[in-house]
Amino acid sequence: MGHLVAAPRACAVVDLDAVRESTATLVARAGSAATMAVVKADGYGHGMVPCARAALEAGASWLGVAVLEEALALRAAGITAPVLAWLTAPGEPLPDAVAADVDLSASAEWALDEIAAAARAAGRPARVHLKADTGLGRAGAAAGDWPALCDAAAAHQAEGLLDVVGVWSHFAFADAPGHPTVQGQIGRFREAVDIAEKAGLRPQVRHLANSAATLVSPEAHFDLVRPGISVYGLSPGPDVGRSAELGLRPAMRLSARVALAKRVPPGQGVSYAHRHVTAAETTLALVPLGYADGVPRSATNLGEVLLAGRRRRIAGTVCMDQFVVDVGDDPVSAGDEVVLFGPGDDGEPTADDWAAALGTINYEIVTRIGSRVPRVHLNG
Ligand SMILES: *Cc1c(COP(=O)(O)O)cnc(C)c1O
């Protein structure tokens, strides 16, 4: 009978109430600054559109994404809030962005020229955020190029092609509270804003703060904050604090159902290259999730799951579609639930635990969950 009931092989359940609660915490921390919920990379793997809606319901008033396709997908879903897409390469269909009222970022004059041409093609001014590199050494205009970028933007604006709505930058060490570069970048950002104003620009929003700075560096809030990972209830880093201490609730719970349980003798090698060998007669449980689903192969003999009431380590190599858990003599059968990570309330590992065990960050753990794993949204 149980075998006739439709139940997923695996799923990532995303509690949108947790997204709302965490967003509300961020909105409160932001004080008088507005909140841009960052929903790039499919909402950090949580499902972009449902999470965007939940964040807007909880008080966020902007959305941020990396690439143009993400912004256009938000518009196609009927979302009308301001959206900033900050990462485009030369030759992308910017007129589509302008027509869809998507804000674009420019770190260089050639990018401004492309945006101005797109505005001409779309027959309306483009909304632009000028990006300054205040020390991250990634996107943004270098300090020496910034005045010319502001002058070029002012010239396009005078022609009616651009509306410079924002000046912005991004931190290198916001997750290391008290790091000297944080104050240094805030100072250089203020200088960049002054230069923009001297060029005649009057940006409505100056923005610099990611999750970590939103939570712990109020002097970095300016007019708008851009939290991402924390919208999904995860801490931006161990030095910033744990989710619960920060008023965040992890939204995702990744689980699967045991696909096969079998008794094997001692000395049985398990999975490719036999990186685990059974010590005694034991039960092996097969879990139908693998590296194609986002379980890192580096979790071989390392990652932990909750199964039959206990935390247990992955036994042997993580394969493309599956891995094995050695459960000893504990009663486990096909169909039993295996929790890879969740908020941690029921003893399951958290995304933070996985990140610590594998030497990475929780961002990578949740973002890499593959498209074969259905996202099930609760409280939509
Ligand atoms: C991803 C990203 C954010 C959000 O960062 P979190 O650490 O997830 O809060 C903000 N701004 C930019 C430019 C980003 O790339």
Side-chain angles (χ1 to χ4, degrees):
M1 170 80 184
H3 297 276
L4 299 176
V5 176
R9 166 185 72 94
C11 71
V13 173
V14 175
D15 183 352
L16 294 172
D17 272 347
V19 172
R20 290 187 192 95
E21 211 175 290
S22 300
T23 303
T25 292
L26 295 160
V27 167
R29 286 291 186 109
S32 59
T35 299
M36 170 189 287
V38 177
V39 297
K40 62 189 179 186
D42 197 26
Y44 290 50
H46 293 67
M48 180 175 69
V49 168
C51 291
R53 289 211 172 95
L56 292 169
E57 286 159 9
S61 49
W62 287 68
L63 297 171
V65 294
V67 303
L68 197 49
E69 297 92 305
E70 295 170 328
L72 295 175
L74 289 168
R75 287 288 181 256
I79 292 173
T80 56
V83 174
L84 170 61
W86 54 67
L87 190 60
T88 53
E92 289 205 53
L94 300 186
D96 295 350
V98 178
D101 203 22
V102 170
D103 292 18
L104 296 166
S105 174
S107 299
E109 285 184 55
W110 65 262
L112 271 185
D113 292 343
E114 276 202 4
I115 295 170
R120 237 185 224 108
R124 60 187 286 185
R127 289 166 52 93
V128 177
H129 299 238
L130 297 181
K131 187 164 196 186
D133 185 354
T134 55
L136 174 57
R138 203 177 69 177
D145 298 329
W146 180 250
L149 183 68
C150 292
D151 288 341
H156 284 304
Q157 185 163 282
E159 274 192 79
L161 293 171
L162 301 186
D163 186 5
V164 177
V165 295
V167 167
W168 73 302
S169 190
H170 195 43
F171 281 118
F173 286 98
D175 58 337
H179 195 281
T181 60
V182 173
Q183 287 310 321
Q185 284 197 252
I186 292 172
R188 281 192 288 281
F189 186 63
R190 290 189 189 285
E191 289 164 21
V193 170
D194 282 348
I195 290 168
E197 286 175 350
K198 287 201 179 92
L201 301 173
R202 295 289 176 269
Q204 304 151 25
V205 285
R206 301 161 298 162
H207 50 110
L208 180 56
N210 57 3
S211 290
T214 300
L215 290 162
V216 299
S217 303
E219 69 280 24
H221 288 175
F222 293 94
D223 307 305
L224 177 67
V225 296
R226 300 189 311 270
I229 192 76
S230 51
V231 166
Y232 311 95
L234 296 172
S235 164
D239 296 338
V240 179
R242 299 169 63 84
S243 288
E245 297 162 359
L246 297 170
L248 307 173
R249 186 149 68 91
M252 187 191 287
R253 183 176 184 276
L254 176 64
S255 68
R257 290 178 328 112
V258 172
L260 179 70
K262 66 184 178 195
R263 292 295 284 176
V264 299
Q268 171 70 58
V270 175
S271 191
Y272 292 134
H274 287 177
R275 291 189 177 92
H276 174 79
V277 178
T278 59
E281 184 180 317
T282 189
T283 299
L284 297 180
L286 181 66
V287 180
L289 282 173
Y291 59 77
D293 302 298
V295 180
R297 191 165 178 276
S298 61
T300 293
N301 284 330
L302 215 51
E304 288 192 347
V305 301
L306 178 69
L307 170 56
R310 279 185 46 194
R311 295 266 290 255
R312 304 166 195 274
R313 191 159 286 182
I314 291 174
T317 303
V318 174
C319 310
M320 185 183 294
D321 317 300
Q322 48 198 307
F323 63 82
V324 176
V325 182
D326 181 342
V327 301
D329 294 326
D330 292 349
V332 167
S333 0
D336 288 358
E337 187 186 54
V338 187
V339 185
L340 282 81
F341 62 80
D345 302 337
D346 302 318
E348 77 278 16
T350 60
D352 293 343
D353 293 334
W354 274 78
L358 304 186
T360 182
I361 54 177
N362 54 14
Y363 296 66
E364 186 179 12
I365 297 297
V366 291
T367 303
R368 60 182 295 143
I369 304 302
S371 58
R372 289 199 305 203
V373 179
R375 272 58 167 184
V376 176
H377 292 99
L378 301 183
N379 303 310

